[in-house]
Amino acid sequence: MREARFRDHFWSTDLTSTVGYDSIIQHLNDGRKNCKEFEDFLKERAIIEEKYGKELINLSKKKPCGQTELNTLKRSLDVFKQQIDNVGQGHIQLAQTLREEAKKMEDFREKQKLHRKKIELIMEAIHKNRNLQYKKTMEAKRLYEQRCRDKDEAEQAVHRNANLVTQKQQEKLFLKLAQTKSALEDTDRSYQQSVTTLEKIREEWQNEHIKACEFFETQECERINYFRNALWLHVNQLSLGCVQNDEKYEEIRKSLEMCSIEKDVDFFINLRKTGSLAPAPVVYENYYNAQRNVTPVRSPAPVPISRRGPLPTPTSAPGEPDYATVDGYSLVHF
């Protein structure tokens, strides 16, 4: 259980001092600044995540990656590129989530500022009224003390000159003494009234100061709690992104487990095979041995060159004379 409270530890013995109040306000301003810094951090992180996501998507779509692979490895590569695209989409979604969280932090910060402003305006007015009344009271006190000294001097003058002055001078001294007493009574009443008024204002200020301290302490507790939860949520979102990315990578690993070296090799062979017979060995051939073993071959008779094509071979129809050729002569048989 927390023992320390704002209301118990931000006072000053100087009535016009605002050192305790100013210390609280400065701390609240610093807290608001810290929330703004975290808000800006989320926005910058969102820009990074979105840019990274878009780069991953462009990489998976535009950059070749094993585009000529075949069969099971090709399918694994297709899964790989698709999951990288999904990872990129996840980063873009995370960027949008971070922007939403930054907006929530901004709304919370502005809401606290608006509520705090009302209390600050009240306290500023009370401080101003308190300090003004304190100044009037101190002036009334100064006049009162001055009138007291004047009265004392007048009394001393009467006693000191009681047997040394004329009757007329003595009457003047008594008149002056009466005047100083009357002035003293007036300033005394004014001083007492100022003190009474100041005390009422002091009590009002003290009550409002306590209320302000309690309000500011509540706000600070809410701010710390909200800031802590925002940090916790941010880290959870990053962890969730890692888990989701690992699930996508697991899909790639599962696809790679289905990849078969034997199937891919067989697939390539069946798709691109060119034959099963290799070239015969190339042997040494001696030129001169080859000449002795070769039988001379007569050159063919030259074929006469004619402008006309060869004549058709005559044929005999039934009942027509037969044609025959002997030693280059044609004979007709009847």
Side-chain angles (χ1 to χ4, degrees):
M1 186 67 179
R2 188 166 52 87
E3 296 295 336
R5 294 287 187 270
F6 281 16
R7 58 178 292 173
D8 299 326
H9 298 280
F10 291 95
W11 299 96
S12 173
T13 56
D14 182 359
L15 180 60
T16 60
S17 174
T18 58
V19 60
Y21 176 82
D22 293 341
S23 179
I24 295 175
I25 294 298
Q26 181 61 49
H27 179 69
L28 296 179
N29 288 335
D30 291 342
R32 183 169 178 271
K33 179 182 177 182
N34 293 336
C35 290
K36 181 64 168 61
E37 290 174 351
F38 181 64
E39 175 190 328
D40 294 338
F41 178 89
L42 292 177
K43 291 178 180 179
E44 290 293 328
R45 179 67 186 264
I47 293 174
I48 294 172
E49 292 289 344
E50 183 176 45
K51 181 179 179 181
Y52 179 58
K54 290 181 177 179
E55 290 292 336
L56 280 180
I57 293 173
N58 290 334
L59 179 66
S60 66
K61 290 182 177 179
K62 297 180 180 180
K63 186 67 175 179
C65 183
Q67 60 183 349
T68 61
E69 285 295 341
L70 303 172
N71 206 32
T72 62
L73 183 55
K74 182 180 186 302
R75 289 195 291 270
S76 295
L77 285 169
D78 291 341
V79 172
F80 168 74
K81 296 191 70 175
Q82 180 59 52
Q83 293 303 328
I84 293 300
D85 184 277
N86 293 340
V87 170
Q89 295 290 348
H91 282 281
I92 293 176
Q93 292 175 0
L94 176 59
Q96 181 59 31
T97 301
L98 294 179
R99 290 191 179 95
E100 293 173 358
E101 292 304 316
K103 184 62 170 61
K104 291 179 182 178
M105 175 62 77
E106 180 183 6
D107 293 341
F108 173 80
R109 183 170 51 82
E110 292 300 321
K111 181 180 178 181
Q112 278 208 328
K113 177 185 176 182
L114 182 62
H115 291 172
R116 203 182 84 197
K117 190 64 177 178
K118 298 177 182 178
I119 304 299
E120 289 178 350
L121 291 175
I122 293 174
M123 293 304 297
E124 286 175 5
I126 290 178
H127 288 159
K128 183 177 180 180
N129 189 34
R130 180 201 62 186
N131 293 346
L132 180 61
Q133 185 59 38
Y134 179 81
K135 184 178 180 180
K136 289 181 179 180
T137 302
M138 292 301 101
E139 179 63 20
K141 180 182 179 182
R142 186 189 67 79
L143 290 174
Y144 164 73
E145 290 175 347
Q146 182 62 45
R147 295 296 179 262
C148 287
R149 286 190 292 270
D150 292 344
K151 171 186 164 295
D152 291 343
E153 290 177 2
E155 287 180 342
Q156 291 174 6
V158 170
H159 294 303
R160 186 173 54 249
N161 299 314
N163 300 321
L164 300 177
V165 297
T166 63
Q167 182 68 27
K168 187 175 182 180
Q169 290 175 334
Q170 195 172 18
E171 290 177 356
K172 288 182 179 180
L173 290 175
F174 278 107
L175 178 61
K176 184 176 182 181
L177 177 59
Q179 290 174 345
T180 56
K181 287 183 178 180
S182 176
L184 174 59
E185 292 174 355
D186 292 339
T187 55
D188 183 39
R189 284 192 300 271
S190 177
Y191 176 41
Q192 290 185 32
Q193 290 174 354
S194 293
V195 170
T196 301
T197 302
L198 178 61
E199 179 59 19
K200 291 180 180 179
I201 293 176
R202 187 197 67 80
E203 290 179 355
E204 179 185 4
W205 160 75
Q206 181 172 297
N207 292 334
E208 292 298 327
H209 180 78
I210 292 173
K211 292 179 183 178
C213 286
E214 292 174 345
F215 176 82
F216 292 151
E217 183 176 347
T218 300
Q219 265 208 340
E220 178 63 3
C221 292
E222 291 176 351
R223 186 195 68 83
I224 294 174
N225 182 63
Y226 190 90
F227 201 164
R228 170 186 174 275
N229 291 343
L231 280 169
W232 196 298
L233 178 61
H234 176 59
V235 174
N236 283 349
Q237 289 167 345
L238 298 181
S239 296
L240 177 61
C242 293
V243 172
Q244 292 174 341
N245 287 344
D246 190 63
E247 290 175 352
K248 297 178 178 70
Y249 298 143
E250 181 63 20
E251 292 298 320
I252 300 173
R253 287 189 286 265
K254 290 179 180 178
S255 176
L256 291 172
E257 288 176 351
M258 302 300 294
C259 181
S260 171
I261 299 174
E262 294 79 6
K263 290 181 179 179
D264 284 5
V265 172
D266 290 343
F267 184 85
F268 169 71
I269 291 173
N270 293 328
L271 181 66
R272 303 288 173 80
K273 61 185 178 181
T274 59
S276 58
L277 297 178
V282 178
V283 299
Y284 171 75
E285 297 179 359
N286 188 286
Y287 174 80
Y288 297 101
N289 291 340
Q291 288 292 325
R292 286 195 293 268
N293 296 329
V294 173
T295 303
V297 179
R298 293 182 179 180
S299 299
V303 179
I305 299 175
S306 175
R307 292 182 179 179
R308 294 184 178 182
L311 295 176
T313 302
T315 59
S316 299
E320 292 183 353
D322 295 329
Y323 289 86
T325 303
V326 178
D327 294 332
Y329 295 92
S330 296
L331 300 178
V332 180
H333 300 277
F334 294 93

